[in-house]
Amino acid sequence: MNMSKVVTRFAPSPTGFLHAGNYRTAVFAYLFAKQHAGTFLVRIEDTDRARSKPEYEQNIMETLAWLDVRSDTEIARSSDRVERHKEILAKLIESGAAYVSHEAKKDDSNQMVDVVRFRNSGTTVSFHDEIRGDITFDTTEHEDFVIARAVDDPLFHLAVIVDDGDAGVTHVIRGEDHISNTPRQILLQQALGYAVPVYAHLPLILGSDRSKLSKRKGAKALTEYRDQGVLAEAMLDYLASLGWHPGDDREYLTREELIRMFDLSRVQKGGAIFDETKLFSINQHWMRALSDEAFVARGELVAADESKLREAVPLLKDRAHTFSEVREMLAGELACLFAAPEIEREVLVRKEPADRPGLTKSALQGLLEPLRRLPGDVSAEVVKDTLMPLADAEEAKGKGGRGGVLWPLRYALSGQERSPDPFTLISILGAPESTARIEKAIAILE
Ligand code: GLU
C-alpha cells in the first residue's frame, strides 16, 4: 500500500437528498483516513450545474456536521475550480492528448458544436480495487470520449481527476456505480501525469425489498432520522456496519473503535441491506448508554417537573427506540407523571368481580395506610413488596381479586389503559401524590 500520507475524499453531487448509501461512502472514506492519520476532505461536485441545488448542498453539510464526519480542509466546490479545469483542458489540447471536434450535437437540433475529445488509443486499463480485486477494462468501446462540451466547459471526468489530483487524493473510496468511470479517469490521469490513486468501490446498499436504495423509492434523507431522534453515534455505528463487520462478535462500536478497527479489505462485495428496524435497535442501545442527565439533554426533553422527568428516564430507556418515541410517551402514556389524570367511574370498576361488589372501593381504601408509611424516596421493588401481598390476599379470597385491586390502582394513578405498572408509577409520583390520586378515585365511588 501507498506509504505517503493518506488522503481520502467524499465528493457528493448536490442533485438530490443523499441517502444512507451515500453517507456510508463518506463514513468509510472518513474512517480510513482517520485510521491512517491522514486527511479526509469533502468536495461538492456540482459539475451538473442544472441539477445541483443549494438546498441539497445545505443538507449534505448539515448531515456531515451532525455525524461529525468533517472535512479536514476547507470544503471545495467543483464550480469554483472551473478555471483550473479549463487550464488543464487547454494543456491536454496543446499536447495533442485531446482535440477539438466540430460535430453535430447529439440531439435533434442539427446544431454544430465544438466538443473536446480525448485521444484514446484503446488500450486495456487494469487497476487493483481494494474490494473487488484486479479489474481490467478494454477501453476501445469508449472511443475518443468527450471530456468537455466546449473548450470552456469541461465535464465530470476531467473535473474529478483534476480535483483529486490537485488535492493529492491517494485513495478513492466511492460507490460501485463509478467502476465503469474508472478506466476513462485513469487514462486522463496518465495523460496528465497524475499518480493513479488506490481505488475501492463499495457495494450498493439495498432497501429492505432488495432493490437499489433510491430517493424515488422513499429512501429518507438522514436528517429525517436525526429529526426523529436518532443519535449521531447510532447512525455512524449503523452506517459503518453496512457491508463491513469487525470480525468478532462485537455489536456496537464507538467512533474511536470504528477508527481503530475499520478494515477496507474486509468490506464485503455483496450489497448490504438498509434495515430501519436494525437502525432503531442500535439507536436504543446508544440511548441507553447515555447517563440519565445526558438522555434529557440530548433528547432536548422538557417537562413541567424536571426531577420527575429524570426519574422517568429508566422507563423511557426501557421502552423507546428514538427520541420521537420518547416525546410521544411523555405526551401519552407517561403524561400522568406530570399531571393528575381524568378518570371515569365505569372504567375504574371494570375489573371488579361480579360476586364482590364494593371490592374496588375497599381495596383502594386498604392501600392508603401502607402507602402513607412508605419513605419519601422509594424504589418500585419496595412499593411492590408492600402492596402486592394485599392484592394476593384478595386473590386468595376469590379469583379475579388481584386484578380487582391492581387495575383500579393503576387506572387511578395513570388514567390510561396502557401505562407502566402501578409500583413504578408510585415510585416516581411519590406517596403523597399517589394517595391523593387514590383518594380522588375513592371519592368518585362514593
Ligand atoms: N459526484 C459523484 C457522486 O455523487 C462521485 C464521484 C466520485 O466519487 O468520484 O456520485
Side-chain angles (χ1 to χ4, degrees):
M1 193 167 287
N2 201 328
M3 292 309 287
S4 62
K5 184 175 156 81
V6 166
V7 180
T8 66
R9 53 36 159 210
F10 177 51
S13 301
T15 53
F17 290 107
L18 307 189
H19 53 62
N22 305 111
Y23 288 108
R24 191 272 313 256
T25 303
V27 167
F28 282 14
Y30 162 85
L31 293 176
F32 186 80
K34 295 294 132 187
Q35 175 167 74
H36 292 88
T39 303
F40 167 71
L41 36 108
V42 174
R43 176 175 73 237
I44 298 295
E45 211 148 72
D46 54 354
T47 43
D48 185 343
R49 235 82 50 75
R51 287 174 57 227
S52 294
K53 298 267 177 333
E55 60 264 38
Y56 298 137
E57 181 177 327
Q58 172 61 27
N59 188 262
I60 293 169
M61 299 329 274
E62 242 183 70
T63 309
L64 292 174
W66 173 54
L67 294 173
D68 203 10
V69 169
R70 292 176 200 267
S71 187
D72 292 319
T73 58
E74 202 183 319
I75 289 165
R77 198 172 285 106
S78 307
S79 57
D80 292 339
R81 296 185 36 87
V82 174
E83 288 311 313
R84 173 69 176 150
H85 302 153
K86 285 196 312 207
E87 183 189 321
I88 294 288
L89 184 63
K91 212 166 121 184
L92 283 170
I93 296 171
E94 205 182 283
S95 72
Y99 60 93
V100 178
S101 166
H102 187 64
E103 55 190 65
K105 212 171 169 181
K106 297 232 170 335
D107 57 16
D108 300 331
S109 66
N110 274 334
Q111 210 187 329
M112 294 302 283
V113 283
D114 285 328
V115 300
V116 181
R117 289 185 177 272
F118 180 76
R119 211 179 291 282
N120 176 14
S121 59
T123 53
T124 54
V125 169
S126 298
F127 63 97
H128 178 78
D129 188 282
E130 288 295 296
I131 294 158
R132 307 169 64 96
D134 293 332
I135 301 179
T136 298
F137 277 101
D138 176 359
T139 64
T140 329
E141 58 166 307
H142 295 308
E143 300 179 335
D144 287 353
F145 54 92
V146 177
I147 54 174
R149 262 187 233 107
V151 284
D152 58 356
D153 193 4
L155 286 168
F156 173 71
H157 291 305
L158 188 70
V160 170
I161 66 106
V162 172
D163 292 349
D164 280 349
D166 288 354
V169 170
T170 57
H171 293 72
V172 169
I173 299 171
R174 62 183 175 188
E176 194 174 74
D177 45 336
H178 288 289
I179 275 206
S180 61
N181 292 333
T182 308
R184 273 168 290 179
Q185 295 181 358
I186 290 179
L187 288 175
L188 285 168
Q189 282 157 351
Q190 288 169 341
L192 286 162
Y194 282 124
V196 176
V198 174
Y199 283 98
H201 287 94
L202 306 177
L204 295 179
I205 305 239
L206 310 173
S208 41
D209 60 354
R210 296 197 156 263
S211 69
K212 198 177 150 191
L213 203 63
S214 81
K215 183 71 190 157
R216 264 172 295 140
K217 288 220 182 96
K220 286 202 244 176
L222 290 206
T223 39
E224 288 181 54
Y225 289 106
R226 174 200 62 187
D227 298 344
Q228 217 176 319
V230 168
L231 291 167
E233 56 266 47
M235 186 54 95
L236 189 73
D237 188 6
Y238 182 58
L239 291 176
S241 78
L242 293 171
W244 172 76
H245 193 269
D248 57 21
D249 52 10
R250 248 187 269 208
E251 247 203 291
Y252 307 103
L253 299 170
T254 62
R255 180 184 306 268
E256 290 65 36
E257 287 167 332
L258 288 169
I259 290 173
R260 200 171 59 240
M261 299 171 77
F262 181 69
D263 185 350
L264 202 50
S265 66
R266 285 184 49 89
V267 172
Q268 72 194 33
K269 289 192 188 61
I273 308 255
F274 183 81
D275 175 359
E276 217 173 71
T277 314
K278 178 79 185 152
L279 167 65
F280 292 150
S281 102
I282 290 181
N283 195 49
Q284 183 172 51
H285 168 85
W286 289 109
M287 285 168 78
R288 287 176 177 171
L290 296 173
S291 71
D292 290 358
E293 245 171 30
F295 188 93
V296 172
R298 296 279 303 274
E300 294 173 22
L301 306 179
V302 279
D305 184 329
E306 275 179 34
S307 79
K308 284 214 178 73
L309 175 60
R310 194 101 39 85
E311 285 185 65
V313 170
L315 274 184
L316 295 164
K317 282 183 174 170
D318 198 40
R319 291 159 184 240
H321 293 82
T322 63
F323 280 105
S324 16
E325 273 180 27
V326 166
R327 280 185 278 274
E328 271 165 39
M329 284 174 193
L330 289 174
E333 63 182 273
L334 297 182
C336 63
L337 297 180
F338 307 97
E342 291 303 318
I343 52 173
E344 291 167 32
R345 189 179 199 286
E346 302 81 87
V347 186
L348 198 57
V349 298
R350 185 190 285 165
K351 301 235 168 123
E352 190 168 88
D355 57 349
R356 301 182 65 188
L359 172 66
T360 305
K361 189 173 165 189
S362 65
L364 290 178
Q365 280 168 332
L367 296 169
L368 291 173
E369 250 329 285
L371 268 178
R372 287 200 183 100
R373 283 201 301 271
L374 286 174
D377 190 11
V378 68
S379 71
E381 289 70 43
V382 170
V383 179
K384 186 173 181 182
D385 290 346
T386 311
L387 301 187
M388 203 57 178
L390 301 171
D392 289 341
E394 292 301 341
E395 184 72 17
K397 289 184 204 159
K399 200 166 158 39
R402 189 181 292 116
V405 179
L406 296 180
W407 164 258
L409 172 62
R410 192 167 70 72
Y411 179 66
L413 296 168
S414 71
Q416 301 278 334
E417 298 276 344
R418 282 190 51 205
S419 78
D421 67 77
F423 317 117
T424 303
L425 289 176
I426 291 168
S427 75
I428 298 177
L429 291 170
E433 174 65 18
S434 303
T435 47
R437 290 186 188 186
I438 293 167
E439 277 164 349
K440 193 172 129 195
I442 294 168
I444 289 177
L445 297 168
E446 297 295 347

